[in-house]
Amino acid sequence: MEAHVTVIDYPMASLKVKKGSLLIDSSTIDPGVSKEMAVATEKLGAVFMDAPVSGGVGAATSGKLTFMVGGLEVEFNAAKELLSCMGANVVYCGQVGTGQAAKICNNMLLAIGMIGTAETMNLGIRLGLDPKLLATILNMSSGRCWSSDTYNPVPGVMEGVPSANNYQGGFGTTLMAKDLGLAQNTATNTKTPVPLGSLAHQIYRMMCARGYASKDFSSVFQFLREEEGQ
C-alpha cells in the first residue's frame, strides 16, 4: 500500500488525512486513548494502529528496537514493513490498545526490576562486596535480569550505560514515572492488584521531586544511596 505519513495534533476533529492512510502511533499512552484515536481515525477513512517501542537509545541506534503493535490484523503486514526499518522485533499483540497494554506491562516490570537490582547492589556493597564481583555472581545465578547484566545501575560496573555517564541519556526518570502512572490507572480500572508497581510509581515520583527527573531511571541506585544517608 502507498504510505502516507501524518503528524497528529489534537483535537482529531481538525485532523485531515488522505483516505486509506495508515497512522502509526509509537508513543506510550493509555490503551483507552488509543481506542478513541482508532474510532476517530476510522471516521476519517483512515486506519490507526498503536505501536509503542522498547529497547532504549542503544537499540534505536543499532536498529534493534521492539515494536508492540495493536490494530487490525489485516493491516499488520503493512505496519511491519515500515517498522522493520527501525526495529528487529515487530510483534502483533491484538486489537487496538493491546500494543500499549504490552508496553506499560513491560515498563512496570522494568521499573520493579531496576529498583530490586539497585537495592541488591547497594546491600552487597554495604556488606563489603566488590560491585563488579557481585554483578558477575548475580549474572551467573538465579537473580540475573536485564537490569543487572545489560543496564547495571552502579557506576563503574559496566561501560556504555547511563550509570557510567552520571546517569545521562537513556530512559528518563520522568518518563518512567509517567509510564508507571499509566500502569497504575489501568490497574485501577481493571481492579488488578499491583502492589509492587504502585510502590515503584511512588519511588519514581519522589525521585522526580528530588532532582532526578532528567536523569536516567537507573539513577534509583543513587537515590537509594542518598536516602540511606538521611
Side-chain angles (χ1 to χ4, degrees), residues 131-197:
K132 285 188 177 181
L133 173 63
L134 177 56
T136 298
I137 293 171
L138 291 175
N139 295 334
M140 63 174 62
S141 305
S142 56
R144 179 173 179 250
C145 64
W146 186 85
S147 295
S148 69
D149 72 359
T150 304
Y151 211 83
N152 200 285
V154 181
V157 170
M158 296 183 65
E159 296 181 358
V161 294
S163 62
N165 187 35
N166 194 29
Y167 299 103
Q168 299 303 307
F171 188 66
T173 294
T174 299
L175 291 175
M176 180 56 83
K178 183 265 292 184
D179 288 356
L180 287 168
L182 293 174
Q184 184 68 58
N185 290 339
T186 56
T188 299
N189 293 336
T190 57
K191 299 181 180 179
T192 305
V194 288
L196 293 182

Coordinates of all heavy atoms in Angstrom, one line a residue, residues 131-197:
P131 N 31.4 -4.4 43.8 CA 30.2 -4.3 42.9 C 30.4 -5.1 41.6 O 29.4 -5.7 41.2 CB 30.0 -2.8 42.7 CG 31.3 -2.2 43.0 CD 31.9 -3.0 44.1
K132 N 31.5 -5.1 41.0 CA 31.7 -5.9 39.8 C 31.6 -7.3 40.0 O 31.0 -8.1 39.3 CB 33.1 -5.5 39.1 CG 33.1 -4.2 38.4 CD 34.4 -4.0 37.7 CE 34.5 -2.7 36.9 NZ 35.7 -2.5 36.1
L133 N 32.2 -7.8 41.2 CA 32.2 -9.2 41.5 C 30.7 -9.6 41.8 O 30.2 -10.7 41.4 CB 33.0 -9.4 42.8 CG 32.9 -10.9 43.4 CD1 33.4 -11.9 42.4 CD2 33.7 -10.9 44.7
L134 N 30.0 -8.8 42.6 CA 28.6 -9.1 42.9 C 27.8 -9.2 41.6 O 27.0 -10.1 41.4 CB 28.0 -8.0 43.8 CG 26.5 -8.1 44.2 CD1 26.3 -9.5 44.8 CD2 26.1 -7.0 45.1
A135 N 28.0 -8.2 40.7 CA 27.2 -8.3 39.4 C 27.5 -9.5 38.6 O 26.6 -10.2 38.1 CB 27.6 -7.0 38.6
T136 N 28.8 -10.0 38.6 CA 29.2 -11.2 38.0 C 28.5 -12.4 38.6 O 28.0 -13.3 37.8 CB 30.7 -11.4 38.0 OG1 31.4 -10.3 37.4 CG2 31.1 -12.7 37.4
I137 N 28.4 -12.4 39.9 CA 27.8 -13.5 40.6 C 26.3 -13.5 40.3 O 25.7 -14.6 40.0 CB 28.0 -13.5 42.1 CG1 29.5 -13.7 42.4 CG2 27.1 -14.5 42.8 CD1 29.9 -13.4 43.8
L138 N 25.6 -12.4 40.3 CA 24.2 -12.3 40.1 C 23.9 -12.8 38.6 O 22.9 -13.5 38.4 CB 23.7 -10.9 40.2 CG 23.7 -10.3 41.6 CD1 23.3 -8.8 41.6 CD2 22.7 -11.0 42.5
N139 N 24.8 -12.4 37.7 CA 24.5 -12.7 36.3 C 24.8 -14.1 35.9 O 24.5 -14.5 34.8 CB 25.3 -11.7 35.4 CG 24.8 -10.3 35.6 OD1 23.7 -10.1 36.0 ND2 25.7 -9.3 35.3
M140 N 25.4 -14.9 36.8 CA 25.5 -16.4 36.6 C 24.6 -17.2 37.6 O 24.8 -18.4 37.7 CB 27.0 -16.8 36.7 CG 27.6 -16.6 38.1 SD 29.2 -17.2 38.3 CE 30.2 -16.3 37.2
S141 N 23.7 -16.4 38.2 CA 22.9 -17.1 39.2 C 21.4 -16.8 38.9 O 21.1 -16.1 37.9 CB 23.2 -16.6 40.6 OG 24.6 -16.8 40.9
S142 N 20.5 -17.2 39.8 CA 19.1 -17.1 39.6 C 18.6 -15.6 39.7 O 17.4 -15.4 39.3 CB 18.3 -18.0 40.5 OG 18.7 -17.6 41.9
G143 N 19.4 -14.7 40.2 CA 18.9 -13.3 40.3 C 19.2 -12.5 39.0 O 18.8 -11.4 38.9
R144 N 19.8 -13.2 38.0 CA 20.1 -12.5 36.8 C 18.9 -11.8 36.1 O 17.8 -12.4 36.0 CB 20.7 -13.5 35.8 CG 21.1 -12.9 34.5 CD 21.9 -13.9 33.7 NE 22.3 -13.4 32.3 CZ 21.7 -13.8 31.2 NH1 20.8 -14.8 31.2 NH2 22.1 -13.3 30.1
C145 N 19.0 -10.6 35.7 CA 18.0 -9.9 34.9 C 18.6 -8.8 34.0 O 19.8 -8.6 34.1 CB 17.0 -9.3 35.9 SG 17.6 -8.0 37.0
W146 N 17.8 -8.2 33.2 CA 18.3 -7.2 32.3 C 18.9 -6.0 33.0 O 20.0 -5.5 32.5 CB 17.1 -6.7 31.4 CG 17.5 -5.8 30.3 CD1 17.9 -6.1 29.1 CD2 17.4 -4.3 30.4 NE1 18.2 -4.9 28.3 CE2 17.9 -3.8 29.1 CE3 17.1 -3.4 31.4 CZ2 18.0 -2.5 28.8 CZ3 17.2 -2.0 31.1 CH2 17.6 -1.6 29.8
S147 N 18.4 -5.7 34.1 CA 18.9 -4.5 34.9 C 20.3 -4.8 35.5 O 21.1 -3.9 35.8 CB 18.0 -4.1 36.0 OG 16.7 -3.6 35.4
S148 N 20.6 -6.1 35.7 CA 21.9 -6.5 36.3 C 22.9 -6.8 35.2 O 24.1 -6.4 35.3 CB 21.7 -7.7 37.2 OG 21.4 -8.9 36.5
D149 N 22.5 -7.4 34.1 CA 23.5 -7.9 33.1 C 23.7 -7.0 31.9 O 24.6 -7.1 31.1 CB 23.3 -9.3 32.7 CG 22.0 -9.5 31.8 OD1 21.4 -8.5 31.5 OD2 21.8 -10.6 31.4
T150 N 22.7 -6.1 31.7 CA 22.8 -5.2 30.5 C 22.8 -3.7 30.8 O 23.3 -2.9 30.0 CB 21.6 -5.5 29.5 OG1 21.6 -6.9 29.2 CG2 21.6 -4.7 28.3
Y151 N 22.2 -3.4 31.9 CA 22.0 -1.9 32.2 C 22.2 -1.7 33.7 O 21.4 -1.0 34.4 CB 20.5 -1.6 31.9 CG 20.2 -0.2 31.4 CD1 20.4 0.1 30.1 CD2 19.7 0.7 32.3 CE1 20.1 1.4 29.6 CE2 19.3 2.0 31.8 CZ 19.5 2.3 30.5 OH 19.2 3.6 30.1
N152 N 23.3 -2.2 34.2 CA 23.6 -2.1 35.6 C 23.6 -0.7 36.2 O 24.2 0.2 35.6 CB 24.9 -2.8 36.0 CG 25.0 -3.2 37.4 OD1 25.2 -2.4 38.3 ND2 24.8 -4.5 37.7
P153 N 22.9 -0.5 37.3 CA 22.7 0.9 37.8 C 23.9 1.4 38.6 O 23.9 2.6 39.0 CB 21.5 0.8 38.7 CG 21.5 -0.6 39.2 CD 22.1 -1.4 38.0
V154 N 24.9 0.6 38.9 CA 26.0 1.0 39.7 C 27.2 1.6 38.9 O 27.7 0.9 38.0 CB 26.6 -0.1 40.6 CG1 27.7 0.3 41.5 CG2 25.4 -0.7 41.4
P155 N 27.6 2.8 39.1 CA 28.7 3.4 38.4 C 30.0 2.5 38.5 O 30.3 2.0 39.6 CB 28.9 4.8 39.1 CG 27.6 5.1 39.6 CD 27.0 3.8 40.1
G156 N 30.6 2.3 37.4 CA 31.9 1.6 37.4 C 31.7 0.1 37.1 O 32.7 -0.6 36.9
V157 N 30.5 -0.4 37.1 CA 30.3 -1.8 36.9 C 30.3 -2.1 35.4 O 30.9 -3.2 34.9 CB 29.0 -2.3 37.5 CG1 28.7 -3.8 37.1 CG2 29.1 -2.3 39.0
M158 N 29.7 -1.3 34.6 CA 29.6 -1.5 33.1 C 29.9 -0.3 32.4 O 29.8 0.9 32.9 CB 28.2 -2.0 32.7 CG 27.7 -3.3 33.3 SD 26.0 -3.7 32.7 CE 26.4 -3.9 31.0
E159 N 30.4 -0.4 31.1 CA 30.7 0.7 30.3 C 29.5 0.9 29.3 O 28.8 -0.1 29.0 CB 32.0 0.5 29.5 CG 33.2 0.5 30.4 CD 34.5 0.3 29.5 OE1 34.4 0.2 28.3 OE2 35.6 0.3 30.1
G160 N 29.3 2.1 28.8 CA 28.3 2.3 27.8 C 26.9 2.3 28.3 O 25.9 2.2 27.5
V161 N 26.7 2.5 29.6 CA 25.3 2.6 30.1 C 25.3 3.9 30.9 O 26.3 4.5 31.2 CB 25.0 1.4 31.1 CG1 25.0 0.1 30.3 CG2 26.1 1.3 32.2
P162 N 24.1 4.4 31.1 CA 23.9 5.7 31.8 C 24.6 5.9 33.1 O 25.2 6.9 33.5 CB 22.4 5.9 32.0 CG 21.9 5.2 30.8 CD 22.7 4.0 30.6
S163 N 24.7 4.8 33.9 CA 25.4 4.8 35.2 C 26.9 5.1 35.1 O 27.5 5.6 36.0 CB 25.2 3.5 36.0 OG 25.7 2.4 35.3
A164 N 27.4 4.9 33.9 CA 28.8 5.2 33.6 C 29.0 6.6 33.1 O 30.1 7.1 32.9 CB 29.4 4.2 32.6
N165 N 27.9 7.4 33.0 CA 27.9 8.7 32.5 C 27.1 9.6 33.3 O 26.3 10.5 32.8 CB 27.5 8.7 31.0 CG 27.7 10.1 30.3 OD1 28.6 10.8 30.6 ND2 26.7 10.5 29.5
N166 N 27.2 9.5 34.6 CA 26.4 10.3 35.6 C 24.9 10.2 35.3 O 24.2 11.2 35.4 CB 26.9 11.8 35.6 CG 26.4 12.6 36.7 OD1 26.1 12.0 37.8 ND2 26.2 13.9 36.5
Y167 N 24.5 9.1 34.8 CA 23.1 8.8 34.5 C 22.5 9.7 33.5 O 21.3 10.1 33.5 CB 22.2 8.9 35.8 CG 22.7 7.9 36.9 CD1 23.5 8.3 38.0 CD2 22.4 6.5 36.7 CE1 23.9 7.3 38.9 CE2 22.8 5.6 37.7 CZ 23.6 6.0 38.8 OH 24.0 5.1 39.7
Q168 N 23.3 10.1 32.5 CA 22.8 11.0 31.4 C 22.4 10.0 30.3 O 23.0 9.0 30.1 CB 23.9 12.0 31.0 CG 24.3 12.9 32.1 CD 23.1 13.7 32.6 OE1 22.3 14.4 31.8 NE2 22.9 13.7 33.9
G169 N 21.5 10.5 29.5 CA 21.0 9.7 28.3 C 20.1 8.6 28.8 O 19.7 8.5 30.0
G170 N 19.7 7.6 28.0 CA 18.9 6.5 28.3 C 17.4 6.9 28.5 O 16.9 7.8 27.7
F171 N 16.7 6.3 29.4 CA 15.3 6.5 29.6 C 15.1 7.3 30.9 O 15.4 6.8 32.0 CB 14.6 5.1 29.7 CG 13.1 5.2 29.7 CD1 12.4 5.6 28.6 CD2 12.4 4.8 30.9 CE1 11.0 5.7 28.6 CE2 11.0 4.8 30.9 CZ 10.3 5.3 29.8
G172 N 14.5 8.5 30.7 CA 14.4 9.4 31.8 C 13.5 9.0 33.0 O 12.5 8.3 32.7
T173 N 13.8 9.4 34.2 CA 13.0 9.2 35.3 C 11.6 9.7 35.2 O 10.6 9.1 35.6 CB 13.7 9.8 36.6 OG1 14.9 9.1 36.8 CG2 12.8 9.6 37.8
T174 N 11.5 10.9 34.6 CA 10.1 11.5 34.3 C 9.3 10.5 33.5 O 8.1 10.3 33.7 CB 10.3 12.8 33.7 OG1 11.0 13.7 34.5 CG2 8.9 13.4 33.4
L175 N 9.9 10.0 32.4 CA 9.2 9.1 31.5 C 8.8 7.8 32.2 O 7.7 7.3 32.0 CB 10.0 8.8 30.3 CG 10.2 9.9 29.3 CD1 11.2 9.5 28.2 CD2 8.9 10.4 28.7
M176 N 9.7 7.3 33.1 CA 9.3 6.1 33.8 C 8.2 6.4 34.8 O 7.2 5.5 34.9 CB 10.5 5.6 34.6 CG 10.3 4.3 35.4 SD 9.6 2.9 34.4 CE 11.1 2.3 33.7
A177 N 8.2 7.5 35.4 CA 7.1 7.8 36.4 C 5.8 8.0 35.6 O 4.7 7.5 36.1 CB 7.4 9.1 37.1
K178 N 5.9 8.5 34.4 CA 4.7 8.7 33.6 C 4.1 7.3 33.2 O 2.9 7.1 33.3 CB 5.0 9.5 32.3 CG 3.8 9.8 31.4 CD 3.7 8.8 30.3 CE 4.8 8.9 29.3 NZ 4.6 8.0 28.1
D179 N 5.0 6.4 32.7 CA 4.5 5.1 32.3 C 4.0 4.3 33.5 O 3.0 3.5 33.4 CB 5.7 4.3 31.6 CG 6.0 4.9 30.3 OD1 5.3 5.8 29.8 OD2 6.9 4.4 29.6
L180 N 4.6 4.4 34.7 CA 4.1 3.8 35.8 C 2.7 4.3 36.3 O 1.9 3.6 36.8 CB 5.1 3.9 37.0 CG 6.3 3.0 36.9 CD1 7.4 3.5 37.9 CD2 6.0 1.6 37.0
G181 N 2.5 5.6 36.0 CA 1.2 6.2 36.2 C 0.1 5.6 35.3 O -1.0 5.3 35.8
L182 N 0.5 5.3 34.1 CA -0.4 4.7 33.1 C -0.7 3.3 33.6 O -1.9 2.8 33.6 CB 0.2 4.6 31.7 CG 0.4 5.9 31.0 CD1 1.2 5.7 29.7 CD2 -0.9 6.6 30.7
A183 N 0.3 2.6 34.1 CA 0.1 1.2 34.6 C -0.9 1.2 35.8 O -1.8 0.4 36.0 CB 1.4 0.6 34.9
Q184 N -0.6 2.2 36.7 CA -1.5 2.4 37.9 C -2.9 2.6 37.5 O -3.8 2.1 38.1 CB -0.9 3.5 38.7 CG -1.6 3.7 40.1 CD -1.4 2.5 41.0 OE1 -0.3 2.2 41.3 NE2 -2.5 1.9 41.4
N185 N -3.1 3.5 36.5 CA -4.5 3.9 36.1 C -5.2 2.6 35.5 O -6.4 2.4 35.8 CB -4.5 5.0 35.1 CG -4.1 6.3 35.7 OD1 -4.2 6.5 36.9 ND2 -3.6 7.2 34.8
T186 N -4.5 1.9 34.7 CA -5.2 0.7 34.1 C -5.4 -0.4 35.1 O -6.4 -1.1 35.0 CB -4.3 0.2 32.9 OG1 -3.0 -0.1 33.4 CG2 -4.2 1.2 31.8
A187 N -4.5 -0.5 36.0 CA -4.7 -1.5 37.1 C -5.9 -1.1 37.9 O -6.7 -2.0 38.3 CB -3.5 -1.5 38.0
T188 N -6.1 0.2 38.2 CA -7.3 0.6 39.0 C -8.5 0.3 38.2 O -9.5 -0.2 38.7 CB -7.2 2.1 39.3 OG1 -6.0 2.3 40.1 CG2 -8.4 2.6 40.0
N189 N -8.5 0.7 36.9 CA -9.7 0.5 36.1 C -10.1 -1.0 35.9 O -11.3 -1.3 35.7 CB -9.5 1.1 34.7 CG -9.3 2.6 34.7 OD1 -9.8 3.2 35.6 ND2 -8.7 3.2 33.7
T190 N -9.1 -1.9 36.0 CA -9.4 -3.3 35.8 C -9.4 -4.1 37.1 O -9.5 -5.3 37.2 CB -8.3 -4.0 34.9 OG1 -7.0 -3.8 35.4 CG2 -8.4 -3.4 33.5
K191 N -9.3 -3.3 38.2 CA -9.3 -3.9 39.6 C -8.2 -4.9 39.7 O -8.5 -6.0 40.3 CB -10.7 -4.4 39.9 CG -11.8 -3.3 39.9 CD -13.1 -3.9 40.3 CE -14.2 -2.8 40.2 NZ -15.6 -3.4 40.5
T192 N -7.0 -4.6 39.2 CA -5.9 -5.5 39.3 C -4.9 -5.1 40.4 O -4.4 -4.0 40.3 CB -5.2 -5.6 37.9 OG1 -6.1 -5.9 36.9 CG2 -4.0 -6.6 37.9
P193 N -4.6 -6.0 41.3 CA -3.6 -5.6 42.4 C -2.2 -5.6 41.8 O -1.7 -6.5 41.2 CB -3.8 -6.8 43.4 CG -4.3 -7.9 42.6 CD -5.1 -7.4 41.5
V194 N -1.6 -4.4 42.0 CA -0.2 -4.2 41.6 C 0.6 -3.5 42.7 O 1.1 -2.4 42.5 CB -0.1 -3.4 40.2 CG1 -0.6 -4.3 39.1 CG2 -0.9 -2.1 40.3
P195 N 0.7 -4.2 43.8 CA 1.4 -3.5 45.0 C 2.8 -3.1 44.7 O 3.2 -2.0 45.1 CB 1.4 -4.6 46.1 CG 1.1 -5.9 45.4 CD 0.3 -5.6 44.2
L196 N 3.6 -3.9 44.0 CA 5.0 -3.5 43.7 C 5.0 -2.4 42.6 O 5.9 -1.5 42.6 CB 5.8 -4.7 43.2 CG 6.1 -5.8 44.3 CD1 6.9 -6.9 43.7 CD2 6.8 -5.2 45.5
G197 N 4.1 -2.5 41.6 CA 4.0 -1.5 40.6 C 3.6 -0.1 41.2 O 4.2 0.9 40.9

